[in-house]
Amino acid sequence: MNVAGRTRYHSDLKHPYWWGILGLIIIEVTVIAIFLASYFYLWIVNVSTGRMGWPAQGTVLPPVLIPAINTGLLLFCGWSMWYGGILIKKNKSKEFAYLALACCVVAGLVLYLRWIQMEMLEFDWGTNAYASFVWVLTGFHFLHVLAGILGTLVIGWFSYKGYYNEQRMLGVQIDTIYWYYIVAAWPPIYFVLYWTPRITW
Amino acid sequence: MELNEKMQKLDQAWANPPGFIGWLRIVNQTNIGVRYIYTSLIFFFMSGVLGLMMRVQLASAETNVLGPEVFNQIFTVHGTAMMFLFAIPMVEGLGAYIVPLMIGTRDLSFPRLSSFSYFVFLIGGITLFGSLFMNVAPNAGWFDYVPLALKEWSPGKNIDVYATVITFIEISALAAAVELIVTILKQRAPGMTMARMPVFVWSILVMAFMIVFAMPGVIVGSVMLALDRIIGTVFFEASLGGDSLLWQHLFWWFGHPEVYIAFLPAAGVVSTIIPVFCKRPLYGYTAVVMSMVATGIISFGLWVHHMFTTGIPDQASAFFSVASAMIAIPSGIQIYCWIATILTGRPRFNTALLWCMGFVIVFVMGGLSGIMVASLPFDKQTHDTYFVVAHFHYVLIGGVVFPVFGGIYYWWPKFTGKLLNEKLGKINFWLVVIGFNIAFFPMHILGLQGMPRRIYTYIEEMNWGAMNMLSSLGAYLLGVGFFVFIINVIWTIKKGEVASNNPWDADTLEWLADSPPKNYKFVEIPRVKSLNPLWDDEMPVDATTGMRVDRREVLITEILSSKVQAVVILPTNSIWPFVLALATAVAFIGSIFSPWWFVVSIGLVFISITGWFWPHRPWDSGRDV
Amino acid sequence: MIKGRLILLLTVSFALISCTSEQSTFAGLGPQAVNIINLWWILFAISSIVLITVSFFLTKASLRKSTAPAVDDQTLGRGLVIGLVGTISLLLVIIFSTLTLGQALSDEEDGPVEIEITAKMWWWQVKYFDESGKYLFETANEIHVPVNRAMKLRLLSDNVIHSFWVPALAGKVDMIPGRVNHLTIKALKEGTFRGQCAEFCGVQHALMAFHVVAESEDKYKQWIHAHTQRPLAIKSKKFKRGRKAFFSYDCIRCHSIDGLKEAQVSKFSGPNLTHFGSRKYFAAGTYPNTKGHLSGWLLDPQGLKPGNYMPATAISAEDFEAILAFLKELK
């Protein structure tokens, strides 16, 4: 078997990097799952032993409006990166760069709104365990969005300079997968932390 | 192109850059794998010395060699170093070194990531032992229960060091695990279907998947612990809705699979060595592979057996008790297959095989004491006593250390080109086996006589002195045994017999490469036609040609069928993995002092990652011409 | 050869296990402990069978002459099935005995909680209640129970995790802040049984012990009664000097004496000393309560138990004698 004539440019399941980033996402998803499992564990322990309510008595629940808006904005980011991939396949690298920039601007808005939301919270992260979860998981997601913005800015810049094309686009694909993960990770966190206490409250 | 010319060009393309900075830039797996092995061996010996120090203090009642503050740091660092700086890195290092050779590829999938994860491991290890020399080492045990580990009860920096070191190892281990999975699934030589994968490669694959799903438990736990300590969250504060047992669940979700993460590759090593020294293929390959997979999966359902005495209802604990006993079955199947292989083969008793046989006996003894403590009522007496200490040393030393040393004797000619001395090897083995049993068997008795774990002293009236003295003497003998290993290494460097490519007449692909292998390992990627390629009537031929010799390329094959799928270019030497490791270190070591270092580090990490992925100018066109 | 060594090992361990120590799990003086001893012998027997079998086959495999005919694959296959069946059967025996003998543990009569034990850094606070739940008194590090009566213990901690373990009577139960655990014990014979903390709890975990004293119903009632009374020494003129010294050296900051003064409650508090004189041991069950040991302790608590919360205090010679006399009279 002679492989001299085969392409060395791969941007999909053939490239180890694709699988590598998938591995990273599986790890992060497991981390989130375990965080949420811990949340439910503490809920059950507190309520079943009668130690205290969950969230603790007197906790003002965080508002749901801003996170809902953010969820919508994040969906835009996910869409924009998906569409960006299509543009790159058509070799429209400058258009992709603008779309990446748009994604970053919208994500920046997400961060701004989230900052406001966190300032509005009526509890500290040390007030009780529920509060710790809200702050920490919201905060981690914030950091991931920030990392996504930084990475996408770099990818966008390279695209603007013409580095990516329909054959060489692995960086775009990986960045896109990462955005899918950020977008998909938020609704479960949002639902569990912000909505489930309201259902039984 | 002529073969010699090809080899020369490959040598150049895969060359290691010279000098100290060059050493930092190496990304080739041959070097990095060996670094992992040597470094974890060093941590093993350092941690063993800590064990000997403990045995001095405990040899008789009410001694004053080590006070409680120092002793508590020593037993914590001993456990933490053995589990995190020896067990995991050693098996991952063996995997990183041997797996690419065994599957016929030229490097791991992400060479720079290998380098990064090695440096992170090294920094973590230096941090842990450094803290010991500065008297601020972790001192609440290797599993660091809260609330003792919270700021209120451990106000010093000791536990912050613990959280940091754990985080380093988490990152290092996870990166290596993902890399091993991708390499094994996508870079096997053409013809090496999953059913023709050597057992050792299977064991690394199972281990890596286990790491991916188990480590997040301790990640969540250590993040919660660090946040509770540094910024005042209250995940573990009972009065505010937290719970101490949450830590235990999170830790042991990881902690139990962790011991099988260490054990399965060791079992893989045994499955590699026994057939070679018995001159026959492993009996029951399918059964052995399925047993390893089953062990890996079942191990996730056992963790509560570390918590039987916490007040969990007995009905719930009963499930974990039964499951903990059941996991003996797949291990038993493997033992049967090994003995069957020896029974139907023609054994030659080299040191490597001796280690494997010692492993069988010692590990079985450890497994049996494990069945005992799996039994819920019995565990209520023996939990947190020296009985458990005996149990886990039998399964870990017998089940991990013995096979690792067997593997070291077996693969030493491949790593270094020389054979370790057989006479010294046998002395090494026997001193260790005898010393080990004298050191640890009495501990079963001490536990049954009521001696709890983690005590720096005991009063005369307890009558534990005689057994403790016996145990300490055994420990010193064990230490001498391992010292003989070091002598063997030094002797071999000076006078060791030079090894051919395949001094043991073994069957797996790594013995096709040179001893030590060239960085590119194989001039042409062999085609594999059976489970024991080098024992086939013809050497692996019909190789894959056409890979470039002027840059680093590897062959990508399909996951199940391993048909040729693609060729991928790998990066060459780079300083960025080292830089990123330093940037990460700023975050975690800095956070021992102030959370703001974490923020600083985000900037440094961003710069490092950007540097890492910055494409080299001039860019090629980015298209096939 | 391996077999020979193994048999020696097993015989020796058999013998050695029978040597008991202060805290042996083989004393078997409570129903749970007895069940566990029986369970142990079953486990030991099965383990010995397995170990001897494996060693036998391993030895046989190693001693085989290279030219002897190999065992064929069909035999090996049948052997695997036999081995598997054997292993599973033994495991089932173990599981069955675990569940049945474990079952017996929860068959104890369940009464009201009469003894509450709170683990402290690094001693045991003990509170007694009567059958109706009314609080009676507080003591430390020594628990008295009537022989042959099941006593329900409530186990708490207000600091870190500890574990209550008296091997002669039963298995251990952890004491976890924020949680309430229970253990029912029943002494089958009279005697003094030593227990020790079995969960690492910090610098002085090693010397955190306690004693359970099982006595006849009469003696037990006497002990309870004595503890609900105030010792004469707290008012008697004869011990005035000792009492004053107890205050002037600030012992009272951490050690309460009922009827005299209550100590400041803090995580550094020490045991209640109201009936100290009648205890058999002190310093969390570590030293016998004699003048010699007590003197050594008062002179240098940090030397004996480094890191514990009792500071070194320089006491004048006369005050020293007076304090010792005073403490001895706190019966």
Side-chain angles (χ1 to χ4, degrees):
Chain A
M1 154 88 56
N2 189 307
V3 294
R6 292 192 178 225
T7 178
R8 274 31 173 180
Y9 294 101
H10 308 284
S11 312
D12 53 14
L13 285 81
K14 291 205 190 72
H15 201 294
Y17 275 29
W18 192 94
W19 293 94
I21 207 76
L22 185 66
L24 173 68
I25 288 174
I26 291 176
I27 292 168
E28 298 239 22
V29 166
T30 312
V31 170
I32 294 179
I34 293 183
F35 255 114
L36 296 179
S38 307
Y39 174 88
F40 285 115
Y41 172 81
L42 285 183
W43 184 335
I44 293 172
V45 162
N46 276 292
V47 169
S48 67
T49 58
R51 219 184 282 175
M52 57 175 69
W54 184 273
Q57 208 73 324
T59 308
V60 177
L61 291 180
V64 289
L65 180 61
I66 292 186
I69 297 175
N70 272 342
T71 311
L73 293 175
L74 284 170
L75 279 170
F76 170 81
C77 293
W79 170 84
S80 67
M81 292 308 294
W82 168 80
Y83 188 62
I86 293 184
L87 288 176
I88 281 280
K89 282 208 187 96
K90 293 190 192 146
N91 207 15
K92 297 197 167 137
S93 61
K94 283 220 165 40
E95 284 83 341
F96 170 75
Y98 298 140
L99 200 53
L101 184 63
C103 170
C104 290
V105 167
V106 170
L109 182 61
V110 167
L111 290 186
Y112 174 69
L113 288 175
R114 185 152 291 165
W115 192 274
I116 296 183
Q117 173 210 336
M118 279 155 87
E119 284 196 323
M120 277 167 56
L121 286 175
E122 303 232 4
F123 44 70
D124 215 345
W125 53 62
T127 308
N128 58 52
Y130 171 78
S132 299
F133 270 102
V134 173
W135 273 97
V136 170
L137 284 178
T138 310
F140 274 142
H141 194 263
F142 184 102
L143 284 177
H144 280 74
V145 173
L146 179 63
I149 293 175
L150 292 174
T152 307
L153 283 173
V154 174
I155 299 288
W157 170 253
F158 280 136
S159 183
Y160 186 76
K161 286 287 181 180
Y163 183 70
Y164 294 117
N165 54 49
E166 75 282 2
Q167 268 206 309
R168 177 165 60 201
M169 51 178 286
L170 187 64
V172 172
Q173 285 192 309
I174 288 176
D175 196 49
T176 305
I177 295 175
Y178 185 69
W179 274 108
Y180 290 163
Y181 157 66
I182 296 176
V183 173
W186 176 247
I189 297 175
Y190 174 50
F191 178 69
V192 169
L193 291 183
Y194 293 68
W195 279 103
T196 53
R198 289 188 153 81
I199 294 171
T200 54
W201 189 235
Chain B
M1 220 189 285
E2 265 257 31
L3 186 64
N4 276 332
E5 200 189 334
K6 263 195 205 165
M7 287 169 65
Q8 243 186 348
K9 286 227 146 81
L10 278 170
D11 255 332
Q12 269 179 316
W14 289 81
N16 289 340
F20 176 64
I21 300 288
W23 187 87
L24 295 174
R25 295 174 56 225
I26 291 176
V27 296
N28 174 255
Q29 152 274 356
T30 318
N31 299 88
I32 301 212
V34 155
R35 278 183 207 175
Y36 261 105
I37 294 169
Y38 288 155
T39 309
S40 31
L41 263 183
I42 293 175
F43 285 132
F44 173 72
F45 287 124
M46 287 171 75
S47 186
V49 166
L50 294 180
L52 288 177
M53 288 168 72
M54 287 193 277
R55 285 316 318 167
V56 171
Q57 165 68 9
L58 290 172
S60 39
E62 298 173 73
T63 52
N64 265 319
V65 174
L66 301 171
E69 271 104 354
V70 173
F71 185 90
N72 294 344
Q73 289 182 48
I74 289 182
F75 85 70
T76 304
V77 174
H78 172 78
T80 309
M82 284 300 190
M83 296 306 282
F84 290 118
L85 302 179
F86 167 66
I88 298 185
M90 174 58 85
V91 295
E92 287 202 301
L94 276 176
Y97 189 88
I98 298 295
V99 163
L101 283 164
M102 255 190 191
I103 63 176
T105 187
R106 291 209 173 124
D107 207 328
L108 292 165
S109 308
F110 312 119
R112 290 172 299 186
L113 190 66
S114 323
S115 173
F116 167 74
S117 60
Y118 171 75
F119 284 119
V120 170
F121 154 56
L122 182 65
I123 295 174
I126 292 175
T127 307
L128 182 65
F129 278 97
S131 75
L132 187 61
F133 291 120
M134 290 169 44
N135 204 23
V136 282
N139 56 5
W142 88 278
F143 41 88
D144 199 56
Y145 278 178
V146 298
L148 181 61
L150 295 178
K151 212 150 187 92
E152 186 187 356
W153 302 104
S154 290
K157 299 221 173 300
N158 316 53
I159 306 299
D160 299 303
V161 172
Y162 175 83
T164 295
V165 170
I166 299 298
T167 310
F168 277 127
I169 302 303
E170 286 159 8
I171 294 175
S172 171
L174 281 167
V178 170
E179 184 169 25
L180 286 166
I181 293 176
V182 177
T183 309
I184 293 175
L185 292 183
K186 298 297 294 176
Q187 285 181 215
R188 299 196 309 281
M192 186 182 278
T193 57
M194 300 282 269
R196 289 188 192 146
M197 236 164 58
V199 174
F200 180 68
V201 178
W202 272 108
S203 70
I204 294 290
L205 185 64
V206 174
M207 172 207 80
F209 271 108
M210 290 171 72
I211 292 178
V212 165
F213 290 111
M215 283 218 122
V218 71
I219 289 180
V220 172
S222 65
V223 164
M224 289 179 173
L225 176 67
L227 291 175
D228 269 21
R229 286 183 62 90
I230 299 176
I231 63 170
T233 50
V234 290
F235 292 106
F236 302 119
E237 181 56 55
S239 60
L240 292 173
D243 188 30
S244 306
L245 287 193
L246 177 61
W247 167 267
Q248 295 190 26
H249 283 292
L250 290 172
F251 187 87
W252 290 117
W253 165 264
F254 152 76
H256 192 77
E258 144 80 346
V259 304
Y260 291 95
I261 285 169
F263 168 69
L264 287 179
V269 171
V270 173
S271 290
T272 308
I273 293 178
I274 288 185
V276 168
F277 289 97
C278 295
K279 294 226 144 292
R280 65 146 290 169
L282 180 70
Y283 173 79
Y285 168 87
T286 311
V288 168
V289 169
M290 288 176 67
S291 298
M292 289 199 299
V293 174
T295 304
I297 295 175
I298 299 176
S299 72
F300 279 89
L302 305 190
W303 85 92
V304 177
H305 72 213
H306 299 270
M307 298 166 65
F308 278 160
T309 61
T310 55
I312 291 177
D314 279 352
Q315 295 86 333
S317 299
F319 166 78
F320 292 94
S321 185
V322 172
S324 304
M326 285 299 156
I327 203 167
I329 297 176
S331 297
I333 292 175
Q334 290 190 69
I335 291 172
Y336 182 88
C337 291
W338 291 322
I339 296 183
T341 308
I342 303 178
L343 195 61
T344 55
R346 285 175 289 143
R348 10 167 209 152
F349 292 98
N350 286 63
T351 308
L353 186 65
L354 284 178
W355 283 111
C356 293
M357 294 176 66
F359 150 82
V360 171
I361 299 292
V362 175
F363 178 71
V364 167
M365 288 172 77
L368 291 168
S369 62
I371 305 276
M372 292 180 182
V373 291
S375 165
L376 173 60
F378 184 72
D379 187 62
K380 289 191 175 172
Q381 284 282 36
T382 50
H383 171 70
D384 250 313
T385 68
Y386 264 80
F387 191 91
V388 177
V389 176
H391 158 67
F392 65 69
H393 280 94
Y394 266 82
V395 282
L396 285 174
I397 297 187
V400 179
V401 174
F402 282 24
V404 159
F405 273 82
I408 289 177
Y409 273 86
Y410 178 62
W411 280 307
W412 195 264
K414 189 53 58 184
F415 298 159
T416 64
K418 287 199 177 165
L419 289 152
L420 281 170
N421 182 291
E422 270 298 305
K423 264 219 188 91
L424 286 174
K426 291 193 165 98
I427 297 176
N428 174 196
F429 168 73
W430 285 109
L431 285 179
V432 165
V433 161
I434 295 172
F436 167 80
N437 277 292
I438 299 176
F440 289 97
F441 194 82
M443 292 187 185
H444 293 103
I445 297 169
L446 281 169
L448 291 172
Q449 290 184 347
M451 183 172 175
R453 285 172 76 163
R454 302 167 151 192
I455 54 175
Y456 74 98
T457 191
Y458 48 92
I459 55 177
E460 193 71 56
E461 289 78 1
M462 303 313 295
N463 284 331
W464 294 331
M467 285 287 110
N468 268 298
M469 176 59 79
L470 183 60
S471 168
S472 294
L473 292 173
Y476 306 146
L477 190 61
L478 177 65
V480 169
F482 280 120
F483 187 68
V484 170
F485 171 77
I486 296 178
I487 296 181
N488 197 346
V489 169
I490 298 176
W491 185 92
T492 304
I493 292 175
K494 296 210 169 112
K495 297 208 194 129
E497 183 189 329
V498 171
S500 64
N501 281 14
N502 192 357
W504 312 120
D505 194 21
D507 58 323
T508 41
L509 280 181
E510 76 270 29
W511 302 102
L512 197 58
D514 286 344
S515 297
K518 300 263 190 300
N519 282 359
Y520 57 84
K521 300 176 196 58
F522 305 100
V523 178
E524 276 152 5
I525 308 299
R527 170 166 291 276
V528 166
K529 295 201 173 120
S530 82
L531 193 45
N532 314 98
L534 267 57
W535 284 350
D536 287 346
D537 286 329
E538 0 165 322
M539 293 292 267
V541 289
D542 189 18
T544 306
T545 55
M547 289 169 65
R548 296 268 291 263
V549 295
D550 59 340
R551 63 185 180 198
R552 302 187 183 194
E553 292 192 338
V554 288
L555 200 61
I556 304 294
T557 56
E558 287 174 13
I559 293 181
L560 290 177
S561 68
S562 74
K563 285 214 199 60
V564 172
Q565 199 179 37
V567 180
V568 156
I569 308 170
L570 288 181
T572 66
N573 311 303
S574 165
I575 194 69
W576 292 105
F578 178 68
V579 172
L580 182 62
L582 287 182
T584 319
V586 165
F588 294 113
I589 298 182
S591 63
I592 295 176
F593 301 98
S594 159
W596 287 110
W597 283 108
F598 204 88
V599 178
V600 166
S601 166
I602 290 181
L604 295 174
V605 165
F606 173 65
I607 295 172
S608 314
I609 295 184
T610 309
W612 178 314
F613 286 107
W614 199 270
H616 290 289
R617 284 215 180 248
W619 297 337
D620 57 34
S621 66
R623 289 188 177 79
D624 295 322
V625 286
Chain C
M1 199 249 302
I2 301 180
K3 240 194 312 168
R5 265 192 290 144
L6 268 181
I7 292 179
L8 181 64
L9 205 62
L10 291 170
T11 328
V12 166
S13 47
F14 218 88
L16 285 169
I17 284 170
S18 323
C19 307
T20 54
S21 85
E22 275 280 321
Q23 226 165 257
S24 170
T25 56
F26 284 92
L29 293 164
Q32 295 101 320
V34 169
N35 277 344
I36 292 170
I37 294 173
N38 293 332
L39 179 59
W40 154 256
W41 290 118
I42 296 174
L43 294 170
F44 182 71
I46 293 180
S47 302
S48 307
I49 294 172
V50 172
L51 186 58
I52 291 176
T53 312
V54 171
S55 319
F56 170 73
F57 282 107
L58 190 63
T59 317
K60 189 163 175 212
S62 332
L63 293 180
R64 225 171 52 82
K65 298 277 187 279
S66 311
T67 50
V71 179
D72 65 69
D73 272 8
Q74 209 195 15
T75 318
L76 282 179
R78 261 187 266 137
L80 177 59
V81 173
I82 296 175
L84 208 56
V85 168
T87 310
I88 295 180
S89 321
L90 291 175
L91 281 175
L92 287 173
V93 170
I94 290 176
I95 291 171
F96 178 72
S97 34
T98 295
L99 295 174
T100 46
L101 289 170
Q103 211 43 274
L105 298 183
S106 27
D107 274 348
E108 277 311 311
E109 311 96 80
D110 237 1
V113 171
E114 294 176 49
I115 311 178
E116 176 184 287
I117 303 163
T118 305
K120 300 281 189 183
M121 301 291 242
W122 294 278
W123 55 277
W124 311 84
Q125 181 187 61
V126 179
K127 289 186 178 160
Y128 271 78
F129 298 80
D130 70 11
E131 297 88 36
S132 63
K134 188 178 100 183
Y135 170 77
L136 292 175
F137 62 85
E138 178 182 328
T139 181
N141 300 326
E142 193 172 289
I143 300 163
H144 284 237
V145 296
V147 163
N148 275 314
R149 177 146 60 108
M151 300 291 279
K152 189 167 177 183
L153 311 175
R154 177 162 55 225
L155 302 169
L156 308 170
S157 167
D158 60 3
N159 46 87
V160 302
I161 300 181
H162 300 263
S163 193
F164 183 88
W165 186 37
V166 53
L169 299 180
K172 58 185 66 72
V173 177
D174 292 350
M175 301 153 93
I176 301 170
R179 282 174 179 256
V180 180
N181 280 336
H182 292 102
L183 174 66
T184 304
I185 55 173
K186 179 170 159 185
L188 299 170
K189 277 210 186 84
E190 288 183 33
T192 304
F193 315 121
R194 192 178 194 269
Q196 195 167 342
C197 176
E199 182 61 62
F200 183 71
C201 50
V203 69
Q204 273 301 327
H205 163 65
L207 296 173
M208 183 174 165
F210 63 94
H211 288 82
V212 175
V213 178
E215 47 198 7
S216 64
E217 280 285 346
D218 285 333
K219 282 236 183 81
Y220 173 71
K221 287 202 176 69
Q222 273 172 20
W223 182 85
I224 297 272
H225 179 76
H227 275 69
T228 51
Q229 310 300 308
R230 304 269 172 268
L232 296 168
I234 65 171
K235 289 227 163 35
S236 149
K237 270 206 194 102
K238 191 167 163 211
F239 301 99
K240 185 168 173 200
R241 181 162 194 168
R243 266 198 318 275
K244 282 192 78 178
F246 196 81
F247 276 84
S248 62
Y249 289 103
D250 216 13
C251 314
I252 196 67
R253 182 149 60 110
C254 305
H255 292 284
S256 299
I257 297 185
D258 299 336
L260 212 52
K261 192 170 177 202
E262 206 178 294
Q264 288 174 18
V265 172
S266 83
K267 69 183 190 185
F268 301 112
S269 301
N272 180 307
L273 296 180
T274 313
H275 298 279
F276 179 80
S278 64
R279 291 183 205 155
K280 299 176 194 253
Y281 295 87
F282 71 95
T286 306
Y287 305 111
N289 193 357
T290 66
K291 185 170 177 188
H293 279 105
L294 194 52
S295 306
W297 172 255
L298 287 176
L299 280 172
D300 189 15
Q302 288 299 317
L304 288 177
K305 280 191 167 193
N308 89 83
Y309 292 148
M310 177 151 157
T313 316
I315 308 177
S316 78
E318 303 89 359
D319 284 336
F320 197 81
E321 285 299 322
I323 291 180
L324 285 177
F326 171 58
L327 291 173
K328 185 160 174 243
E329 274 311 305
L330 288 172
K331 291 209 187 8

